[in-house]
Amino acid sequence: MAGLARPAPIAIISALHDELRALLPLLREPRPVALGGRTFHVGEIHGEPVVLVLSGIGKVAAASTAVLLMHAFGARALLFTGVAGGLGDGVAVGDVVVASELLQHDMDASPLFPRFEVPLTGRARFAADAGLGAALAAAARRCLERADATIGAAHLARFGIDAARVHRGLVISGDRFIASQAHSDELRALLPDALAVEMEGAAVAQACADFERPFAVLRTVSDRADANAHVDFSAFIVEVASVYTHAIVDEWLRHAPHG
């Protein structure tokens, strides 16, 4: 009916072109909107209003993108998708991590504030939305059960992926690509409950906290955050992570309660 307000959209953010490219075929009646040096793709997925966007890499890029989505598009919830390095025991290449909370591992304003605490907020950890996380984890488990068909046995074997699992817990973020055993060991010692490390999620978490919007972070583990982290990274994005992202988002929104 004319005069009814259009529901506020769900925003889905990608850091890399291949990750966004995998989601665009899901979008019905896409409409590009240029704003803030980015192209926002507005449309619907399974009847759900959605905005897809490429943020670029790093915390500033992610936070500014999140703010634009909430302020200019009125996004009611945000999802950041992409890859991460595995830190936790049992977090293997090809696994999926859904964040329950996020922390900036390179935030250090000590001695004025405790290490990792975001100044003037009184906290270091930002909780992701439990409902969104549960729905995404359930969708991820269903997709991983059919990974042989979705990804293909040859691609799974190439990257040594066997019986991939879904994990939920702490994801940490910082403006550095972790690609040394020494640095990953240091992070494990400082933050022993961290499951994975990436470069954007905690910045989105802080921005969403300011706007009081629910958010989720979904990451496919591409490496173990060590000296081999760069090996076949681009191929993994194309052949595994982007395929996972497409399948999980499709599954999630297919079963999402609309409105």
Side-chain angles (χ1 to χ4, degrees):
M1 288 181 60
L4 289 179
R6 183 178 177 83
I10 292 172
I12 304 177
I13 312 170
S14 303
L16 298 173
H17 286 282
D18 287 320
E19 296 164 350
L20 173 64
R21 195 174 295 123
L23 292 174
L24 286 173
L26 293 173
L27 200 64
R28 294 190 59 187
E29 301 181 4
R31 177 173 59 90
V33 177
L35 180 67
R38 294 158 175 76
T39 300
F40 297 81
H41 304 270
V42 181
E44 290 187 355
I45 299 177
H46 298 306
E48 193 74 55
V50 170
V51 182
L52 305 178
V53 65
L54 179 75
S55 65
I57 298 170
K59 293 190 299 179
V60 172
S64 60
T65 302
V67 170
L68 284 171
L69 285 163
M70 292 182 283
H71 185 69
F73 294 89
R76 72 177 191 271
L78 285 78
L79 167 63
F80 203 106
T81 70
V83 295
L87 289 177
D89 291 340
V91 179
V93 172
D95 286 359
V96 172
V97 176
V98 179
S100 60
E101 55 184 356
L102 295 106
L103 172 148
Q104 298 179 50
H105 67 77
D106 56 355
M107 175 62 72
D108 188 357
S110 61
L112 300 179
F113 299 90
R115 188 172 184 180
F116 306 129
E117 183 177 302
V118 177
L120 307 182
T121 68
R123 56 177 166 163
R125 300 183 181 220
F126 290 78
D129 185 81
L132 286 176
L136 284 161
R141 290 188 186 97
R142 292 192 294 269
C143 291
L144 292 185
E145 287 173 358
R146 51 181 186 264
D148 280 357
T150 305
I151 304 292
H155 291 313
L156 294 173
R158 174 183 176 184
F159 295 101
I161 300 170
D162 181 35
R165 299 188 300 159
V166 178
H167 308 266
R168 296 186 69 184
L170 175 65
V171 173
I172 60 176
S173 311
D175 282 318
R176 179 176 180 179
F177 183 75
I178 306 301
S180 78
Q181 189 67 50
H183 200 179
S184 60
D185 286 346
E186 178 186 4
L187 291 175
R188 290 186 188 96
L190 289 168
L191 298 160
D193 59 332
L195 296 180
V197 58
E198 36 89 310
M199 299 180 67
E200 296 88 18
V204 172
Q206 184 178 342
C208 287
D210 287 344
F211 280 79
E212 299 183 334
R213 303 290 168 86
F215 73 93
V217 173
L218 173 75
R219 295 289 189 172
T220 300
V221 177
S222 58
D223 56 82
R224 282 291 296 173
D226 55 20
N228 296 314
H230 67 286
V231 177
D232 290 331
F233 181 82
S234 297
F236 184 90
I237 296 292
V238 174
E239 297 175 25
V240 178
S242 294
V243 181
Y244 274 179
T245 296
H246 176 105
I248 294 168
V249 169
D250 183 37
E251 181 77 10
W252 170 52
L253 290 177
R254 186 185 302 274
H255 294 92
H258 300 298

